[in-house]
Amino acid sequence: MSDHSLRMLLDASDRFASLSTPEQKWDMAQTVARDFGAVAVNIGAGSRRTGDLLWMRSNMSRTWLSDYVDQAFMTLDPFVAGAVRNTDPVLLNAGRLRRSEAASNKAFEMDHQLSEAGYPLCYGVPFTGTIRGAGGMVVFGFDREAARSFTEERASQMRLVAAVIAANVGPPEDVTAPGVVDIPTGRLTRREREVLALLADGHGNDGIADRLGVSEATVQKHLRSARQRLNVLSREQAVVRAVSMGLI
């Protein structure tokens, strides 16, 4: 590592030490990632017992994160797998996977959608999770220009940057905080559970939209997604199944 990069890293550590709130530290993590050439940073942890993604914070695009959740890409995400297994760092060159070589159509879609979202190269560094029985990973996303010049020296730098970020950014205390990804719990996202709970209380689409501060179209989108996740045909069946599963 060059003297300049080392000074940047030491400066980042000092700046983190001066911060007190989780939000300040998350903002600093994004700044540090950008200083070292990444266009995005994610941090999260998965259960070593089940392999499920437990929490994640990210500043990737909203469109990509929405696709990630809606299409349940976390179930085949190599970075989640790397986190729970505490493997070596994971390097992914997205957009190159051929459909004939993909383990599934979903794996192919995830690979190419990640590239199309502006992250053709992602580099993940595992860490010991702060939650018992969990493993974590810090993942950096790079644009096409940075991907072309990604070297082992840069990878070495990012491993140190990841260690600094992992030491300062933990599981979010507030699930509505900036960057916190709404991970499905029991196959439903937090918003889908809220919509179904209000539906169970007798509210219509307009009433749900008013209470949640969203449009009726958004309510309908969440209901449609909840039906698909729960494998039912109607909103009434979705409520019954969600109640029986203890989700609402």
Side-chain angles (χ1 to χ4, degrees):
M1 177 179 291
S2 68
D3 290 343
H4 176 65
S5 295
L6 182 58
R7 285 195 299 271
M8 288 175 61
L9 191 63
L10 293 174
D11 177 62
S13 297
D14 290 341
R15 285 187 288 170
F16 268 118
S18 68
L19 304 177
S20 57
T21 70
E23 303 319 309
Q24 290 174 331
K25 293 181 177 182
W26 171 239
D27 288 342
M28 181 57 66
Q30 297 173 73
T31 298
V32 172
R34 285 194 298 269
D35 287 346
F36 281 84
V39 295
V41 59
N42 310 295
I43 182 170
S47 168
R48 291 199 174 100
R49 181 178 64 85
T50 66
D52 292 338
L53 182 60
L54 301 175
W55 66 272
M56 187 170 91
R57 206 157 189 175
S58 173
N59 68 343
M60 284 183 165
S61 73
R62 289 185 179 181
T63 299
W64 161 249
L65 292 175
S66 177
D67 288 342
Y68 184 87
V69 172
D70 291 346
Q71 299 183 54
F73 284 150
M74 71 286 295
T75 60
L76 44 74
D77 187 339
F79 297 106
V80 175
V84 300
R85 296 171 187 165
N86 199 26
T87 62
D88 293 331
V90 178
L91 177 66
L92 175 64
N93 287 294
R96 300 182 181 182
L97 184 65
R98 296 179 180 177
R99 191 177 293 276
S100 60
E101 299 171 342
S104 65
N105 285 334
K106 183 183 286 189
F108 176 84
E109 292 299 330
M110 175 183 170
D111 182 87
H112 285 266
Q113 287 183 38
L114 181 60
S115 177
E116 291 168 3
Y119 314 108
L121 186 143
C122 293
Y123 187 67
V125 183
F127 65 91
T128 300
T130 56
I131 299 175
R132 184 178 179 182
M137 183 164 281
V138 178
V139 182
F140 301 100
F142 296 89
D143 61 20
R144 208 161 299 283
E145 181 179 354
R148 285 194 291 266
S149 58
F150 193 85
T151 63
E152 177 52 39
E153 180 181 0
R154 174 54 59 86
S156 178
Q157 290 177 355
M158 302 317 295
R159 289 194 289 272
L160 294 175
V161 174
V164 172
I165 292 175
N168 287 281
V169 179
E173 299 174 359
D174 179 1
V175 296
T176 64
V180 177
V181 180
D182 189 7
I183 301 299
T185 300
R187 297 171 62 189
L188 290 178
T189 67
R190 172 177 53 83
R191 184 62 91 187
E192 287 165 357
R193 295 196 307 276
E194 290 174 345
V195 168
L196 287 178
L198 289 170
L199 184 64
D201 286 341
H203 297 283
N205 286 0
D206 56 346
I208 296 173
D210 183 63
R211 283 176 172 266
L212 296 181
V214 299
S215 68
E216 288 190 48
T218 297
V219 171
Q220 293 171 352
K221 174 185 175 182
H222 288 307
L223 286 171
R224 183 168 58 252
S225 178
R227 292 200 308 271
Q228 292 172 345
R229 291 180 192 278
L230 295 173
N231 194 28
V232 296
L233 298 178
S234 70
R235 58 173 58 196
E236 293 78 15
Q237 291 174 338
V239 169
V240 171
R241 180 158 294 182
V243 170
S244 68
M245 295 175 66
L247 302 179
I248 61 173

